[in-house]
């Protein structure tokens, strides 16, 4: 019996921030952060901690400046006094580092009890060079190795982290706390801020080794990711993810994108030239997820891919989608570097950066979905259904489009015509 060749993984750095906050994040290109306060309720003369998690997304050192804006009056106009040792802090982060900054603050008399006292935190960063991204922007595999104890990690996970920004500024994050109607006697409090590293690139060697040990398990799981068990869950996940980012999809668009992503997870990377499953981001992420929690293997396949592999599969689906539509369109779809940059831009949008762009729906996800339409379907789904729904959606969006986006809809129109011809030649009856 032939042994499978050894495949060396080159996984991306884990999403430490997301594993603590449950996915809440503010994305600022090369830096991600999340803000919380603990406890959420305090008393006069009793401190709380402002907690800021910082995640360096590139292989460059980073200089961070953090500024606190504390309220000076409450909702009724009464004076508010909140003390802290420093309102402006500077710190250095190593390449790819993740850390937590804790800043104690304390309400003092004559502050009155009340609810929702805002604490605004301004975050700015600087890197010496552009650098290379080492983490996926919309969330990746959880870490298997951390620099802190399990106890400290659990304490961080109990904090309610905010991803809300103030006045739509990505650089200013707001969190809130309450002051209960009780006063503790004033005692000397240590209000010095503290920074603690949670994960550094030194941990990556062990992360890689642990993931490498899961390749055989990942191969076995991958063989069970078929259109039969992942297509329907993927439809629900696609609909939810796009709606959450303020770009709800038409039913045909949802199904087409789900088809492209299902094809990518099922057999597309082995069928299309120039791709391989084991080099894909979703396979490498699966190895990391298994290293973090082997019990994931017992999940229903649809839940596994939508909960742990969605962002990675979306990235791979964009690259594979370009290749799938390449032979069928006349337009220049760019080289691999341009396609990778575009895929990263789409994922950055999912992480909260930038404005919605209808191109993200169609180029190349829905386009690829219409090409593989007949390959991915449920027993009760007629292949004409998606073509007709997409034709209607495409016309509706095209009426509102201009410039480069209008070209996207023209290309889609051509692909839909080709899909109709293919269905007629295959003698698929229209329902």
């Amino acid at each position: 019996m032939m042994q499978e060749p050894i495949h060396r993984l080159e996984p991306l750095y884990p999403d430490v921030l997301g594993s603590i906050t449950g996915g809440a994040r503010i994305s600022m290109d090369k830096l991600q952060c999340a803000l919380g306060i603990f406890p959420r309720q305090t008393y006069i003369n009793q401190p709380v901690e402002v907690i800021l998690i910082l995640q360096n997304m590139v292989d460059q050192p980073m200089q961070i400046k953090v500024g606190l804006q504390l309220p000076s009056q409450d909702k009724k106009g009464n004076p508010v006094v909140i003390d802290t040792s420093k309102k402006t802090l500077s710190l250095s982060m190593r390449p790819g580092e993740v850390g937590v900054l804790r800043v104690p603050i304390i309400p003092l008399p004559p502050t009155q009890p009340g609810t929702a006292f805002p604490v605004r935190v301004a975050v700015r960063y600087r890197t010496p060079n552009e650098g290379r991204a080492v983490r996926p922007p919309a969330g990746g595999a959880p870490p298997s190795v951390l620099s802190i104890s399990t106890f400290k990690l659990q304490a961080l996970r109990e904090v309610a982290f905010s991803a809300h920004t103030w006045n739509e500024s990505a650089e200013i994050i707001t969190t809130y706390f309450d002051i209960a109607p009780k006063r503790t006697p004033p005692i000397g409090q240590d209000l010095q801020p503290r920074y603690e590293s949670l994960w550094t690139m030194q941990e990556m060697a062990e992360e890689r080794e642990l993931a490498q040990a899961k390749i055989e398990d990942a191969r076995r799981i991958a063989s069970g990711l078929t259109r039969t068990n992942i297509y329907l869950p993927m439809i629900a996940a696609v609909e939810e993810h796009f709606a959450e980012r303020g770009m709800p999809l038409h039913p045909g668009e949802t199904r087409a994108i789900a088809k492209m992503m299902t094809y990518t997870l099922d057999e597309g990377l082995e069928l299309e030239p120039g791709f391989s499953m084991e080099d894909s981001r979703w396979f490498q992420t699966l190895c990391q997820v298994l290293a973090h929690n082997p019990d994931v293997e017992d999940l229903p396949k649809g839940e596994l891919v939508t909960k742990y592999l969605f962002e990675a599969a979306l990235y791979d689906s964009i690259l594979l989608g370009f290749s799938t539509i390449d032979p069928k369109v006349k337009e220049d779809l760019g080289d691999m570097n341009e396609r990778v940059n575009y895929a990263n831009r789409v994922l950055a949008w999912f992480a909260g950066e930038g404005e919605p762009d209808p191109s993200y729906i169609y180029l190349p996800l829905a386009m690829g979905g219409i090409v593989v339409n007949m390959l991915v379907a449920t027993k009760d789904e007629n292949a004409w259904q998606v073509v007709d729904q997409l034709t209607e959606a495409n016309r509706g969006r095209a009426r509102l489009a201009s410039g480069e986006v209008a070209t996207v809809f023209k290309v889609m129109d051509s692909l839909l015509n080709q899909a109709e011809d293919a269905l007629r030649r295959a003698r698929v009856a229209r329902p």
Side-chain angles (χ1 to χ4, degrees), residues 242 245 247 249 253 257 314 318 341-350 353-367 405 408-409:
F242 275 86
R245 286 296 292 122
M247 196 154 61
L249 301 177
E253 295 167 343
I257 295 171
L314 188 71
I318 292 170
N341 287 337
Y342 177 79
N344 285 329
R345 197 160 79 241
V346 176
L347 262 72
W349 172 70
F350 272 103
E353 291 180 39
E355 296 300 314
D357 184 339
S359 299
Y360 298 160
I361 300 170
Y362 283 85
L363 185 69
L365 292 168
M367 291 182 181
V405 181
V408 169
F409 295 115

Side-chain angles (χ1 to χ4, degrees), residues 328-329 394 409-419:
K328 297 182 176 292
V329 300
N394 190 59
F409 295 115
K410 285 180 185 170
V411 173
M412 188 64 189
D413 201 43
S414 166
L415 285 170
L416 285 164
N417 288 334
Q418 293 177 51

Side-chain angles (χ1 to χ4, degrees), residues 65-242:
K65 279 207 167 179
V66 178
L68 260 64
Q69 299 171 15
L70 302 171
S72 58
Q73 61 180 35
D74 62 19
K75 297 170 190 171
K76 297 175 183 174
N78 299 316
V80 170
V81 177
I82 297 179
D83 193 20
T84 187
S85 70
K86 288 182 181 177
K87 287 188 180 177
T88 305
L89 302 113
S90 298
L91 57 100
S92 300
M93 294 184 79
R94 289 164 284 184
E97 183 178 358
V98 186
V100 58
L101 176 66
R102 302 170 190 272
V103 185
I105 61 174
I106 186 166
L108 300 173
T111 307
Q112 298 297 307
T115 58
F117 287 86
V119 176
R120 296 184 184 113
V121 177
V123 183
R124 290 176 178 79
Y125 72 88
R126 190 164 44 83
T127 55
N129 299 300
E130 189 67 21
R132 177 179 63 88
V134 291
R135 286 188 166 87
S144 297
V145 186
L146 282 171
S147 308
I148 60 166
S149 68
T150 309
F151 174 76
K152 282 187 175 179
L153 178 64
Q154 188 54 42
L156 276 177
R157 284 185 172 145
E158 287 172 8
V159 177
F161 285 96
S162 165
H164 299 297
T165 54
W166 177 252
N167 286 350
E168 303 305 315
S169 166
E171 294 179 342
I172 300 178
I173 324 163
T174 309
T175 188
Y176 301 87
F177 72 103
D178 303 335
I179 302 175
K182 175 185 170 184
R183 182 176 298 198
T184 58
I187 54 173
Q189 298 280 1
D190 177 13
L191 298 180
Q192 286 301 314
R194 300 186 309 281
Y195 175 78
E196 185 175 19
S197 183
L198 302 176
W199 192 97
T200 67
M201 61 192 300
Q202 275 67 45
E203 266 82 52
M204 195 57 205
E206 190 176 345
E207 294 270 6
R208 193 179 289 113
E209 195 176 309
L210 291 168
Q212 188 77 34
K214 292 294 179 181
I215 284 185
E216 284 304 321
D217 293 339
R219 283 174 179 154
R220 188 177 63 255
I221 293 168
S223 67
L225 302 183
T226 66
R227 59 205 73 183
T228 311
N229 56 31
I230 63 174
Y231 174 46
L232 288 178
M234 191 60 80
I235 290 173
V238 167
E239 183 176 40
E240 182 183 339
H241 278 269
F242 275 86

